[in-house]
Amino acid sequence: MKRYRLMKLTAYDKEHKLKTWRFVNIEAEKAHELNNFMANGFRIWDSDRNKVVKTNLDLDNWIKNHHEE
């Protein structure tokens, strides 16, 4: 497993302000190698430090595009 992994927002609970993320099958040894995949609703996870390195999320736009109420 490589150090950096791409995650995608799959669901959002407005009432509890809870985001559900899942890993996608894209990994890299350097975080910047994943920048081309950083569409709205994605983030880069550092597996060594167990933390988010970079997030691209406009939540209002994501909700609008995913037809969630």
Side-chain angles (χ1 to χ4, degrees):
M1 180 170 70
K2 296 185 179 179
R3 179 174 179 171
Y4 297 98
R5 302 179 71 194
L6 197 65
M7 298 179 82
K8 179 179 182 179
L9 182 65
T10 58
Y12 178 70
D13 180 348
K14 280 186 180 180
E15 181 180 343
H16 299 99
K17 296 183 180 180
L18 179 68
K19 298 176 190 111
T20 303
W21 296 87
R22 73 171 174 89
F23 288 104
V24 295
N25 292 329
I26 301 174
E27 301 175 344
E29 286 299 326
K30 298 179 182 177
H32 76 273
E33 293 174 354
L34 298 175
N35 284 340
N36 289 339
F37 303 100
M38 291 298 292
N40 187 31
F42 284 85
R43 70 184 185 182
I44 298 173
W45 178 260
D46 182 342
S47 297
D48 287 352
R49 295 187 177 176
N50 291 323
K51 70 176 196 172
V52 175
V53 175
K54 183 176 182 180
T55 302
N56 184 7
L57 180 61
D58 176 352
L59 192 54
D60 292 330
N61 191 24
W62 186 90
I63 291 169
K64 183 175 105 179
N65 290 336
H66 289 82
H67 309 292
E68 296 198 9
E69 297 293 323

